[in-house]
């Protein structure tokens, strides 16, 4: 009967209530605690909204203005529209799908002087009077390469807003070499091999700068892995100031395996890292056939690549500076090697 407290078992005995097992309270409390508020989509690294935000900030920086709050929401659409405009312009001007574009008077002139195959030359009106551009025109005419006069607006769309200085050339996709080709180049020049390898360097600006230093200090070439690495594109051509036409770039399916093959061929592998046991200025192997390996700015040398190195050397810097740009460190190391070899 409802309310019958006399029924057997209806009254709880004093002290019969079960409590928490000793030692379990902390675990249960932690299990009930949250992990804090969920980060905004724009703050999650791999979320599409975060990528759109990063693209918007990059575009704003390029335009020299601060990024508006929430601009990442529209950045994806803007990037898609920009890509569509470039694609339509390339199609309208007959640019091959796998071809590269080299823009700017110096990069174009250096590329043409190197004998690179030309597919087309695009010129803004009046540019043929420039001495360097006139040389490009003469070479293209002699080769029978099509010359197209276009507007600067068309060149802007074709290069996606890059600085083109009124001249752009279309060239076939870059012809990458093998590591063995770099060794053969050193043998033909009759000097100890000097090769630069880049481990995880994904910025084409850095690749272009490394090519420029490699050309300045007599390196036989640059070795990059096929995956997770910058390739020779229009940006690398531009930054290299034409060095990409003179310094060959080799690609390796597996960088560690390629370095091992180079070691078996008689090269010493020298990694560049801030924690190196010696400095590049005191590197005794400078006069030997060597491969200088530079890692990415963020992670440095990967574990397997570091294990493959015979020596890890550093570039001495002031304590107030944490690290050097990958291209700058490579340039300094190449200078030191060149100095030792010429001494």
């Amino acid at each position: 009967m409802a309310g019958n407290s006399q029924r057997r078992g209806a009254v709880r005995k004093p002290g019969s209530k079960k409590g928490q097992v000793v030692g379990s309270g902390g675990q249960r409390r932690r299990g009930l605690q949250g992990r804090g508020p969920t980060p905004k989509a724009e703050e999650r690294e791999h979320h599409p909204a975060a990528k759109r935000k990063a693209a918007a900030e990059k575009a704003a920086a390029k335009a020299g203005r601060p990024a508006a709050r929430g601009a990442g929401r529209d950045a994806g659409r803007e990037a898609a529209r920009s890509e569509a405009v470039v694609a339509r312009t390339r199609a309208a001007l007959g640019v091959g799908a796998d071809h590269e574009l080299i823009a700017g008077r110096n990069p174009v002139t250096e590329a043409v002087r190197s004998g690179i195959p030309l597919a087309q030359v695009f010129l803004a009106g009046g540019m043929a009077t420039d001495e360097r551009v006139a040389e490009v025109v003469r070479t293209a005419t002699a080769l029978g390469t099509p010359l197209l006069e276009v507007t600067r607006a068309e060149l802007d769309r074709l290069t996606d807003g890059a600085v083109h200085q009124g001249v752009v050339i279309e060239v076939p996709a870059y012809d990458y070499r093998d590591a063995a080709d770099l060794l053969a180049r050193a043998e033909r020049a009759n000097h100890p091999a000097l090769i630069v390898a880049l481990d995880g360097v994904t910025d084409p600006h850095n690749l272009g700068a490394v090519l420029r230093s490699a050309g300045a200090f007599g390196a036989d070439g640059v070795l990059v892995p096929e995956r997770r690495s910058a390739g020779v594109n229009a940006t690398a051509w531009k930054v290299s100031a034409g060095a990409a036409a003179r310094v060959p770039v080799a690609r390796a399916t597996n960088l560690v395996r390629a370095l091992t093959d180079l070691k078996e061929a008689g090269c010493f592998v020298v990694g560049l890292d801030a924690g190196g046991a010696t400095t590049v200025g005191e590197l005794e192997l400078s006069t030997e056939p060597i491969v200088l390996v530079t890692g990415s700015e963020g992670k440095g040398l990967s574990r397997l690549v570091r294990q493959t190195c015979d020596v890890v050397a550093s570039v001495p810097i002031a304590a107030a500076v944490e690290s050097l740009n990958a291209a700058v460190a490579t340039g300094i190391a190449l200078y030191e090697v060149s100095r030792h070899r010429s001494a």
Side-chain angles (χ1 to χ4, degrees):
M1 171 178 248
N4 184 4
S5 62
Q6 300 301 316
R7 181 172 59 82
R8 186 178 182 84
V11 179
R12 189 182 298 278
K13 295 180 181 180
S16 65
K17 184 176 181 180
K18 292 184 178 181
Q20 291 184 336
V21 178
V22 176
S24 68
Q27 296 176 8
R28 295 181 183 180
R29 281 196 300 273
R30 284 194 295 271
L32 293 174
Q33 289 176 351
R35 297 183 179 180
T38 301
K40 296 179 180 178
E42 295 179 351
E43 297 174 359
R44 285 178 260 168
E45 181 180 0
H46 300 292
H47 196 282
K51 296 178 181 178
R52 289 195 296 268
K53 180 181 178 182
E57 292 174 348
K58 184 177 179 180
K62 187 175 180 180
R65 54 179 172 74
R69 186 177 180 180
R73 300 171 186 173
D74 300 323
R77 288 191 289 272
E78 291 179 6
R81 281 196 295 268
S82 177
E83 291 177 2
V85 168
V86 172
R88 286 197 299 269
T89 307
R90 287 177 67 106
L93 296 176
V95 177
D98 61 341
H99 285 195
E100 288 286 348
L101 297 172
I102 303 174
R105 282 171 288 187
N106 280 337
V108 165
T109 304
E110 291 291 340
V112 171
R113 285 174 179 172
S114 72
I116 192 169
L118 294 176
Q120 293 188 89
V121 177
F122 303 101
L123 296 172
M127 285 305 301
T129 58
D130 182 272
E131 183 179 347
R132 286 164 293 182
V133 176
E135 180 183 347
V136 173
V137 171
R138 288 194 299 270
T139 304
T141 302
L143 295 173
T145 303
L147 294 167
L148 281 77
E149 185 171 332
V150 295
T151 65
R152 288 187 175 270
E154 286 178 307
L155 290 182
D156 289 339
R157 293 194 295 270
L158 183 64
T159 60
D160 198 16
V163 179
H164 50 72
Q165 298 177 305
V167 58
V168 175
I169 59 173
E170 176 191 352
V171 300
Y174 187 81
D175 183 18
Y176 291 95
R177 312 293 180 83
D178 296 323
D181 296 329
L182 306 185
L183 282 179
R185 192 169 188 257
E187 291 177 2
R188 289 193 299 270
N190 196 28
H191 63 226
L194 175 56
I195 298 170
V196 177
L198 301 180
D199 177 24
V201 175
T202 57
D203 188 347
H205 291 87
N206 278 335
L207 174 58
V210 167
L211 285 169
R212 192 168 186 176
S213 295
F217 297 114
D220 297 298
V222 176
L223 175 64
V224 299
E226 287 186 0
R227 300 176 59 194
R228 294 184 292 275
S229 176
V232 184
N233 58 14
T235 301
W237 270 101
K238 180 79 173 179
V239 177
S240 76
R246 301 187 303 273
V247 181
V249 178
R251 258 184 173 172
T253 305
N254 185 301
L255 183 60
V256 172
R257 188 181 304 126
L259 293 175
T260 303
D261 291 342
L262 289 170
K263 289 177 68 172
E264 292 176 354
C267 294
F268 292 94
V269 178
V270 179
L272 299 179
D273 187 87
T278 185
T279 65
V280 292
E282 300 171 345
L283 190 61
E284 297 179 356
L285 297 174
S286 293
T287 56
E288 303 294 330
I290 61 173
V291 182
L292 294 174
V293 189
T294 303
S296 64
E297 292 181 44
K299 298 180 181 179
L301 297 172
S302 62
R303 179 179 59 84
L304 292 177
V305 167
R306 179 185 287 270
Q307 291 175 356
T308 308
C309 294
D310 297 299
V311 177
V312 177
S314 63
V315 177
I317 57 176
V321 180
E322 293 184 2
S323 63
L324 290 173
N325 171 277
V328 172
T330 305
I332 294 173
L334 285 168
Y335 164 76
E336 291 292 349
V337 171
S338 176
R339 185 174 64 85
H340 279 287
R341 290 187 173 188
S342 60

